[in-house]
Amino acid sequence: QVQLVESGGDLVQPGGSLRLSCTASGITFSVYDLGWYRQAPGNERELVASIDHGGTFTDYVESAKGRFTISRDNAKNTVYLQMNSLKPEDTGAYFCSTTYPYIHWGQGTQVTVSS
């Protein structure tokens, strides 16, 4: 069965950094495009960053540009989200997802940015 397991969420002060990881099993990881999504309380889930199956093309929501970096290691079936210069508005549950050719979701990891 397909599993996506996120880790790395934590409580961090504004200006701090975190690195999220998501490891997949049960799929041929290298053929999937991937995304990191964020859902803040009371808000809809939004796509924060995406990466194509080969790791060549990436895209970010405007608020993440210049601060977040998505990357992947197909040999480890893992996708990462490096988050720097964190702001309180980055707070939320972060989910990784396969976006193409099929959609699978992880359970999420909580990121809280607060002093």
Side-chain angles (χ1 to χ4, degrees):
Q1 93 235 31
V2 179
Q3 275 195 311
L4 301 175
V5 180
E6 301 96 334
S7 62
D10 206 346
L11 169 64
V12 62
Q13 292 188 344
S17 297
L18 283 175
R19 188 196 197 201
L20 306 184
S21 300
C22 172
T23 300
S25 59
I27 58 172
T28 305
F29 184 79
S30 60
V31 307
Y32 279 86
D33 298 343
L34 300 162
W36 280 100
Y37 290 75
R38 172 174 65 207
Q39 186 165 22
N43 289 2
E44 293 187 356
R45 195 172 295 187
E46 66 169 342
L47 179 62
V48 173
S50 61
I51 188 167
D52 76 316
H53 63 279
T56 303
F57 300 103
T58 60
D59 198 14
Y60 301 89
V61 68
E62 192 63 34
S63 62
K65 289 180 180 178
R67 300 188 300 125
F68 293 5
T69 302
I70 188 171
S71 62
R72 65 191 293 163
D73 185 340
N74 284 348
K76 295 182 179 180
N77 284 7
T78 300
V79 60
Y80 305 97
L81 185 67
Q82 177 67 43
M83 304 187 294
N84 298 328
S85 302
L86 283 161
K87 304 175 181 180
E89 52 263 43
D90 294 318
T91 294
Y94 283 71
F95 300 86
C96 72
S97 172
T98 60
T99 57
Y100 180 87
Y102 301 105
I103 297 174
H104 304 288
W105 289 96
Q107 299 277 31
T109 187
Q110 179 67 33
V111 172
T112 303
V113 184
S114 175
S115 54

